[in-house]
Amino acid sequence: MAIEDVDTVGLTLNGADVEVRVDPDTPLLYVLRGMLDAKGARYGCGAGLCGACTVVIDGKAEFSCDVPVSVAAGRRVETIEGLAAQVPPHPLIEEVIERQAAQCGYCLPGIVMASKAFLDRTPRPSRQQIAEALDGNLCRCGTHHRILDAVESAAARMSEAAR
């Protein structure tokens, strides 16, 4: 990479303004993991097909392996680290733990972030809507039913808290 290929890219990561000097075409996932110490987003397929790298950008779930960091410039990026740091814990985090929705856990940060973006815009979803919203996030361990249970329960808790 030539020096002229490097730009300063600023974004808001989990509520904090950050800047990195990087080639603007670098996948956001690489910047998050390699430069910003946000290792919760996982490298799965590198082609935007599995969802392990899902983050929320300005309220929308995105596969960070497929998004150049330049696209995130000036935008709000949320990762599992931001969600996990909330006090009290976000209902999605609590329900995933309560319902033992993870087996190996590799896919779970992406699933939780996709669920967060979905629940933020669909506060009272049906189980079918949850399943459809998470269709792009793969889990090889087969805990789909427990994951759906956790998201469904978190949605109910969030809806009740909003009343």
Side-chain angles (χ1 to χ4, degrees):
M1 168 175 51
I3 194 84
E4 62 271 3
D5 293 336
V6 175
D7 286 337
T8 299
V9 177
L11 55 99
T12 302
L13 177 62
N14 298 322
D17 292 335
V18 297
E19 287 187 341
V20 291
R21 291 206 22 89
V22 65
D23 181 325
D25 292 329
T26 303
L28 176 60
L29 175 65
Y30 297 174
V31 172
L32 291 171
R33 291 183 61 80
M35 301 176 86
L36 298 173
D37 202 33
K39 301 202 185 306
R42 309 290 174 86
Y43 181 91
C45 66
L49 300 172
C50 74
C53 66
T54 304
V55 298
V56 178
I57 302 174
D58 285 343
K60 184 177 180 217
E62 300 278 357
F63 295 159
S64 63
C65 73
D66 220 17
V67 174
V69 69
S70 60
V71 170
R75 298 173 74 190
R76 282 181 313 107
V77 177
E78 297 173 85
T79 67
I80 193 74
E81 289 85 359
L83 207 59
Q86 292 180 10
V87 178
H90 192 282
L92 280 165
I93 301 290
E94 290 183 324
E95 290 298 330
V96 162
I97 293 167
E98 175 70 27
R99 297 183 181 279
Q100 299 181 6
Q103 194 160 353
C104 82
Y106 197 84
C107 66
L108 211 52
I111 289 173
V112 169
M113 295 313 295
S115 298
K116 183 205 183 290
F118 172 68
L119 293 179
D120 284 350
R121 69 178 185 280
T122 312
R124 293 179 183 87
S126 68
R127 189 173 181 94
Q128 180 63 34
Q129 288 174 306
I130 295 168
E132 289 170 7
L134 298 179
D135 191 48
N137 293 82
L138 305 180
C139 170
R140 297 196 183 280
C141 297
T143 63
H144 291 92
H145 291 290
R146 289 188 305 222
I147 291 167
L148 293 175
D149 290 345
V151 176
E152 195 170 36
S153 183
R157 285 181 54 193
M158 292 166 67
S159 179
E160 183 66 31
R163 289 182 191 180

